[in-house]
Amino acid sequence: LRGKTIMALQLDAKGKLWIASDGGGLQSMQLGGPPRVVPEALPGGSSTELINDLRADAKGRLWVAGEGG
């Protein structure tokens, strides 16, 4: 797991745990399988960006509040 601090967690309908971190960007882990954390690319963001918060809407879309917008 990258980053200094976990800022937020969000579980989606497909069993993927999304992890927002301070300095580690957005990461994910598929639950029910081997424990493997994967860094996720953000449009216009960086892999070391501060991610403040995560939210899923009624359509299952993930909204990410990051340092860059």
Side-chain angles (χ1 to χ4, degrees), residues 4-48:
K4 301 175 215 166
T5 306
I6 293 175
M7 305 298 287
L9 299 170
Q10 179 70 48
L11 184 62
D12 71 15
K14 296 178 182 177
K16 184 179 273 192
L17 180 64
W18 295 91
I19 306 160
S21 65
D22 178 2
L26 180 64
Q27 301 166 71
S28 69
M29 181 184 341
Q30 186 64 46
L31 300 183
R36 182 171 165 243
V37 177
V38 178
E40 299 285 347
L42 289 172
S46 76
S47 62
T48 60

Side-chain angles (χ1 to χ4, degrees), residues 40-57:
E40 299 285 347
L42 289 172
S46 76
S47 62
T48 60
E49 184 173 349
L50 164 62
I51 306 297
N52 295 305
D53 203 4
L54 300 171
R55 294 282 190 252
D57 66 16

